[in-house]
Amino acid sequence: MTQAADGKTVAFHYTGTLTDGSVFDSSDGRDPLSFTMGQGQIIPGLEAAFQGMTAGDEKTVTVPAAQAYGDHDPKGLQVIPRSNIPDNIPLDPGTQLQMSSPNGQAIPVVVKEVTDTEVTLDANHPLAGQDLTFAVQIVSVA
């Protein structure tokens, strides 16, 4: 059987959970996720776990935050004046918004905190700073 290695395309089913056991993502009811090993298409810690696996193999792997979406970076927080945001923009904590960088690139952010005068936005990935556990099953390696 073909083993997962750099340059091989791996298709797999997965369920991702947080340390409290809650599911944050799953391929259940969907087609398997496919990626090419060694291309940086999935988080590094998960890709490393696939090395040497073959079709039909299953495992559960815990990926530390540093090998997933990184640690939560305080530099990703931005406090802006409430008056700079149009009144029609929803600002409930947890709301996902999109900002533009100086060169026009879209940056997804989440509203963290709102006061009468300021809004705190977080540009970190929603799973940054969290260890992630994946139950995976390899469908194919080609």
Side-chain angles (χ1 to χ4, degrees), residues 49-111:
F50 288 128
Q51 194 71 31
M53 293 180 73
T54 62
D57 286 353
E58 296 182 31
K59 76 163 61 169
T60 298
V61 59
T62 297
V63 178
Q67 295 176 3
Y69 295 99
D71 294 323
H72 190 273
D73 184 356
K75 293 177 188 171
L77 296 175
Q78 183 176 5
V79 179
I80 58 174
R82 172 67 183 89
S83 59
N84 287 5
I85 301 175
D87 291 336
N88 65 328
I89 302 293
L91 292 176
D92 298 317
T95 300
Q96 295 181 353
L97 302 174
Q98 200 170 56
M99 294 178 58
S100 293
S101 69
N103 65 359
Q105 180 180 8
I107 302 170
V109 295
V110 173
V111 176

Side-chain angles (χ1 to χ4, degrees), residues 2-3 6 8 17 30 35 37 42 48-50 61 71 76 79-81 83-84 96 102 105 114 122 128:
T2 303
Q3 292 186 334
D6 282 357
K8 299 292 184 186
T17 56
R30 300 185 303 198
F35 74 102
M37 294 277 293
I42 64 171
F50 288 128
V61 59
D71 294 323
V79 179
I80 58 174
S83 59
N84 287 5
Q96 295 181 353
Q105 180 180 8
V114 179
D122 188 351

